[in-house]
Amino acid sequence: EAVDIRRMLANEQPAVYLPSLSKSLQNLAICLSEQEDPTSHNEALSRAKEAVSILRQLTEDQPVVYLPHLAVSLINLARYTSYQEDASSHNGALACLREAVCILGKLAVQQPAAYLPNLALSMNSLANCLLQQGDAALHTEALAWAREAVCIRRKLVIEQPANRLLDLARSLKTLAECLSVKESAESHCEAFECGKEAEALCATLSDERLMTPLSCQAISLNTLARYLLEQGDGSSYSDALSRTREALGIYCTLTKEPPAYLSFFALSIKHLGKRLLEQGKATLCDEALLCAKDAVALYRILVREQPAVHQPHLALLLNNLASHLLLQRDEISRGLALDCTREAVGVYRILAQQQPDEHHYSFAMSLNNLAKCLSEQGDVTPDGEAVAC
């Protein structure tokens, strides 16, 4: 009814009422899209197209005023278009999202605080849309957009952790999906890490007890560390290390209260160990090893509470600990590394039997790690087992 009234008014005074008609059309499209029948979805698409058409007309006269509204309308139009299953509709959704990213990218340069959130949204949507295409080149592009969306949303979480955590979790899930279609072990490992971080953020959001000012500070610090690490230069790396240490101190305090903080605490320790090792300094190897041991110890506690949820990550951390131990180059450390890899293989073997599609690749990589570890033991029996692996 609102659309009908405003359409009539816009016919008489377009300069005055076309903006209002566009808003009403978008609201109607949202309501229709929430219905479950195809007819409503088709009508939502039609209304959204009309809203975009009106906003293009308004943007020609007043670009500063209406370009932001056009970008948001394009994102919505892409979503409604993607409900259609034909190739033409998917291409149309891609075109809308590319245009939205282009518009919001320019606006965010001028006013980052105002437009970065929607820019990240458009990038994340574009990554998802590209991922649905069966083209390797488009999957590579999807990964690039997903990384950029995560980077922006990490920056936003630093400033407003309580308000932006859910957005970051969504982008991490998209990034995990983009990485999982790649064939490299490194990509699969990173995908798993992104998925676990997203789960930890969602778990924090779902429990009001965890959303305290202190926990938000810790999340903000840890997110800042990840953001700095992704910048890739030496000064950022050192700063990331100090921020992680600070977050770690807060997590130690929080862990004395609700056990739910253990997963966050363990992830923070694991990432700290990785950063210490990547510094390439021999003096930091021992501290990195301690981090790897602590992360495994914490995940053993989590596995006792929720084995189905945390066993995959425990296996990953066991392999990680084995890698740290092998760097020690002494016989005792090599033996401990062998124990870790054997335990990881045992965990992955069970998981691969239960969910082969999800865990067979990790099981294979774990066997490869065990073979490598066995080959470094230096006696006859392990060598034969290495060949079997």
Side-chain angles (χ1 to χ4, degrees):
E1 189 175 352
V3 167
D4 291 338
I5 293 170
R6 284 175 169 168
R7 193 188 301 283
M8 181 179 64
L9 293 168
N11 287 335
E12 296 172 358
Q13 294 178 281
V16 177
Y17 291 107
L18 272 178
S20 298
L21 175 58
S22 172
K23 289 180 183 177
S24 290
L25 286 164
Q26 291 178 71
N27 290 336
L28 178 56
I30 291 170
C31 293
L32 288 164
S33 70
E34 292 171 352
Q35 308 304 306
E36 296 181 357
D37 60 290
T39 303
S40 295
H41 288 175
N42 290 335
E43 188 181 352
L45 177 58
S46 176
R47 302 296 186 178
K49 283 181 177 178
E50 186 179 356
V52 166
S53 178
I54 291 170
L55 284 167
R56 286 195 191 283
Q57 180 182 336
L58 293 169
T59 300
E60 289 179 5
D61 298 327
Q62 295 177 279
V64 175
V65 176
Y66 292 109
L67 262 179
H69 299 291
L70 174 59
V72 173
S73 292
L74 285 165
I75 295 171
N76 291 332
L77 176 56
R79 181 160 61 92
Y80 306 141
T81 304
S82 66
Y83 293 155
Q84 313 299 310
E85 296 183 355
D86 57 288
S88 176
S89 295
H90 281 291
N91 290 334
L94 276 176
C96 287
L97 290 168
R98 289 187 192 283
E99 186 179 356
V101 167
C102 182
I103 292 170
L104 289 164
K106 292 175 182 177
L107 292 171
V109 171
Q110 300 167 358
Q111 299 180 56
Y115 297 113
L116 276 177
N118 278 336
L119 176 58
L121 171 63
S122 64
M123 288 176 171
N124 196 66
S125 299
L126 179 54
N128 279 316
C129 195
L130 288 163
L131 195 60
Q132 292 170 12
Q133 314 300 310
D135 185 298
L138 293 180
H139 288 173
T140 300
E141 185 186 353
L143 179 58
W145 288 119
R147 286 194 188 282
E148 195 160 351
V150 167
C151 186
I152 291 172
R153 283 178 162 171
R154 283 199 193 284
K155 191 174 181 180
L156 293 170
V157 165
I158 294 163
E159 298 163 358
Q160 296 179 297
N163 297 330
R164 301 296 182 185
L165 278 181
L166 182 58
D167 291 338
L168 176 57
R170 286 171 176 160
S171 282
L172 284 165
K173 287 179 180 178
T174 299
L175 179 55
E177 290 172 8
C178 292
L179 287 162
S180 66
V181 302
K182 299 292 183 181
E183 295 183 356
S184 69
E186 185 179 353
S187 294
H188 281 237
C189 183
E190 188 182 354
F192 190 81
E193 289 287 334
C194 289
K196 294 304 293 183
E197 185 180 357
E199 286 177 16
L201 291 174
C202 289
T204 302
L205 284 165
S206 65
D207 192 336
E208 292 182 0
R209 294 175 305 146
L210 304 185
M211 290 306 294
T212 64
L214 195 57
S215 71
C216 286
Q217 181 187 353
I219 292 167
S220 182
L221 284 166
N222 213 37
T223 303
L224 175 57
R226 296 293 295 273
Y227 175 79
L228 289 167
L229 184 64
E230 288 161 6
Q231 304 312 298
D233 60 90
S235 59
S236 294
Y237 204 104
S238 299
D239 198 7
L241 193 58
S242 65
R243 302 292 182 177
T244 306
R245 290 183 190 277
E246 190 176 351
L248 196 57
I250 295 174
Y251 287 139
C252 287
T253 303
L254 296 172
T255 305
K256 295 175 184 176
E257 299 298 330
Y261 278 117
L262 276 178
S263 61
F264 254 143
F265 186 26
L267 282 173
S268 187
I269 288 178
K270 194 263 183 185
H271 288 306
L272 176 57
K274 182 180 178 182
R275 287 170 190 148
L276 287 166
L277 200 60
E278 288 173 352
Q279 286 279 62
K281 296 179 180 178
T283 53
L284 296 177
C285 283
D286 289 342
E287 190 173 350
L289 176 59
L290 288 174
C291 288
K293 287 180 177 179
D294 286 344
V296 167
L298 285 169
Y299 259 86
R300 289 196 190 282
I301 297 171
L302 290 167
V303 165
R304 286 200 294 270
E305 298 291 329
Q306 294 177 294
V309 174
H310 297 295
Q311 273 185 332
H313 209 175
L314 174 61
L316 180 68
L317 290 173
L318 284 165
N319 279 327
N320 179 62
L321 175 56
S323 298
H324 283 271
L325 287 163
L326 287 174
L327 293 174
Q328 301 300 302
R329 303 295 181 185
D330 62 274
E331 186 176 347
I332 294 176
S333 295
R334 285 199 299 270
L336 292 172
L338 182 58
D339 291 339
C340 288
T341 51
R342 279 177 171 155
E343 185 180 355
V345 165
V347 173
Y348 275 130
R349 178 175 280 115
I350 295 171
L351 292 170
Q353 289 170 351
Q354 296 170 344
Q355 297 175 291
D357 290 343
E358 186 172 347
H359 296 294
H360 78 279
Y361 187 87
S362 297
F363 178 45
M365 293 306 301
S366 195
L367 283 169
N368 189 62
N369 291 339
L370 177 55
K372 178 183 176 182
C373 196
L374 285 162
S375 68
E376 296 188 12
Q377 297 304 307
D379 57 58
V380 176
T381 304
D383 284 346
E385 189 181 350
V387 172
C389 289

